Structures are given as C-alpha cells and as structure tokens.
Amino acid sequence: MAELVYRPVVGFAQTLFKAWDLKIDCKGSENIPRSGGAVLVSNHISYLDFVFNGLAALPQKRLVRFMAKESVFRHRISGPLMRGMKHIPVDREQGEAAYAHALDSLRSGEIIGVFPEATISQSFTLKSFKSGAARLAQEAGVPLIPMAVWGTQRLWTKGHPRNFKRSHTPITIRVGEAIEASKDKYAGAITRQLRERVQELLEAAQRAYPVRPKDATDTWWMPAHLGGTAPTPEQVRAAEAH
C-alpha cells in the first residue's frame, strides 16, 4: 500500500534535523529485520523519541507503526498525520482495541513501536516496564528489538521548554540484537530480560554521548546518578503522588 503520508513526513523530519544541525549517531540498525513483524521497544525521555526510533529503521527500509496515546490522534494537526502514518491510538481505559490492532499489524508483517514505560521518564532513568510488548511478541510469534535513545530530552521533554534552535545537539541511538519472545516463557520474565537489555543499551548510548553539561545551569538533562540535577526516580514518584 502506498505510503502517501509517512514518507513525506520522514523527508520533512530529516530536513528539519539538518536545519537544526543535529548530530545523529545511530548504531545497530542492522538488528531491525528487513521483513516480517517485530516489536521495537525503547526507553522514553522525550516527546520526539518516536521520530528517532523510526529513523533507526530507515536503513532497513522499514516504517514503524507506533502505539501512542489517543489524545495525540484528536489534535487538529498531529491527528491526521498520525492516522495517515497508520500509528495505533491507545485509550488507557480500553486498551484491548489497541492491543488487537497491534496484533493484527504484527501478523501482517509490520513493525510496531512500543514505549513500555508508558510515559516519559522525568528522571531520564528507566522506569518499570509494562508487559504488553512481550505479550504482543509472544502472541504474534515475532521478535522484540530493544533500543535506547539519548539526547532527545534536550530538544523537548516534559517540564522543560522546547529547544528547536540550530543547536548542534547530539542524539545517540543504539539498537540491540533481537530477543526471542518464546511462548513457553512467562511474559514477566521476558519483560525483565527486555528491560535489562534496554538498560545496557541506554548506558552504552550515555557513554558514547560526546558532550557534557556546559555549566551548572545546563545539568538538568543529566540524571542524578550521573551527576546531573534531573530529579531522582524517588523524587518524581513523590511529586506525582501529590
């Protein structure tokens, strides 16, 4: 089927990234299968993560269909684009329809993108993973592809202003080897393995990241355990509880 919306949007995004002079370092794209279904699983630190996750699949000539919250599809600008790119709306109250939609897409050979933390991590560390990605892969009989992004939080994240200036911001992307979602394993065990692998990839991306905060006012995007001033996971949980 012709991709009348997705391909032009990809071209527009690539033009924007050149204009912003982003330094994108992506390794591991060869781990994304050239054909057949797969569940692409990433950490989530920015509103733009899905764009960079999708970019990682382009060398393999694949387009990723992302599961995204339903409100994005109601927006007057993003809604038509999301529908045109055949992304999958998720209503948190009635998740069964989105799950069935994703399962059908996987069985028809699509790659589905999932953020198993469900929301952006404001501590920029990995939150706990929901088991939906593992269950989808098991039921569809497709592999899980773990990946991690780093640096995207500097462009646009929760609680901070957008930075779409020509900022030369580095973006580091690491894609790992496929994880088999065996049907005779518990989804919880696969989810733990998946989270460990995404954690390893995240640490590799952080080690490879070429810049550090410029000064004391620029430490907000670094997690506390790496010496930054982002809130700790405990502080985020305490703030959300109020």
Side-chain angles (χ1 to χ4, degrees):
M1 195 183 292
E3 295 288 347
L4 300 178
V5 177
Y6 209 135
R7 293 192 192 283
V9 168
V10 167
F12 177 69
Q14 289 174 316
T15 302
L16 264 187
F17 295 161
K18 281 196 179 75
W20 295 342
D21 194 32
L22 301 184
K23 309 296 185 190
I24 300 172
D25 166 22
C26 179
K27 288 190 171 61
S29 286
E30 68 279 2
N31 291 315
I32 296 171
R34 281 193 171 268
S35 62
V39 181
L40 196 65
V41 174
S42 173
N43 66 318
H44 198 12
I45 52 175
S46 162
Y47 292 115
L48 299 176
D49 289 335
F50 75 98
V51 182
F52 293 99
N53 293 158
L55 278 184
L58 292 183
Q60 298 294 80
K61 299 185 166 45
R62 301 302 303 272
L63 298 176
V64 183
R65 316 296 175 184
F66 286 92
M67 300 184 77
K69 63 183 179 183
E70 192 251 350
S71 59
V72 180
F73 292 77
R74 290 200 305 268
H75 190 276
R76 63 187 180 83
I77 295 170
S78 62
L81 291 174
M82 295 294 279
R83 286 190 292 275
M85 289 188 277
K86 306 185 188 76
H87 295 314
I88 300 170
V90 179
D91 181 342
R92 297 241 169 96
E93 304 299 311
Q94 300 172 307
E96 303 85 3
Y99 186 91
H101 185 165
L103 199 54
D104 285 347
S105 297
L106 288 168
R107 286 172 171 158
S108 67
E110 298 273 18
I111 294 182
I112 298 299
V114 177
F115 296 108
E117 296 168 278
T119 57
I120 287 173
S121 169
Q122 291 178 271
S123 67
F124 309 132
T125 61
L126 273 195
K127 298 165 70 171
S128 61
F129 276 22
K130 299 190 182 306
S131 63
R135 289 188 289 112
L136 274 173
Q138 281 182 303
E139 206 169 330
V142 301
L144 290 151
I145 311 295
M147 68 180 298
V149 291
W150 190 247
T152 57
Q153 75 274 33
R154 298 177 67 198
L155 298 175
W156 189 17
T157 193
K158 205 170 184 176
H160 293 275
R162 287 174 291 196
N163 174 19
F164 292 166
K165 300 192 292 287
R166 186 176 169 81
S167 56
H168 324 295
T169 303
I171 305 294
T172 305
I173 307 166
R174 293 292 180 264
V175 185
E177 292 178 5
I179 294 172
E180 189 190 345
S182 171
K183 286 193 167 114
D184 58 5
K185 266 190 178 174
Y186 285 116
I190 297 169
T191 301
R192 281 192 294 278
Q193 181 190 1
L194 181 62
R195 188 181 181 282
E196 284 168 13
R197 190 67 188 109
V198 172
Q199 178 67 38
E200 288 168 8
L201 292 164
L202 177 57
E203 289 172 11
Q206 289 167 337
R207 284 194 299 273
Y209 200 67
V211 301
R212 311 294 292 171
K214 293 191 291 289
D215 53 38
T217 65
D218 188 42
T219 56
W220 65 268
W221 57 270
M222 285 287 275
H225 75 278
L226 292 180
T229 52
T232 64
E234 295 74 25
Q235 287 170 330
V236 173
R237 281 196 293 273
E240 287 172 347
H242 287 303

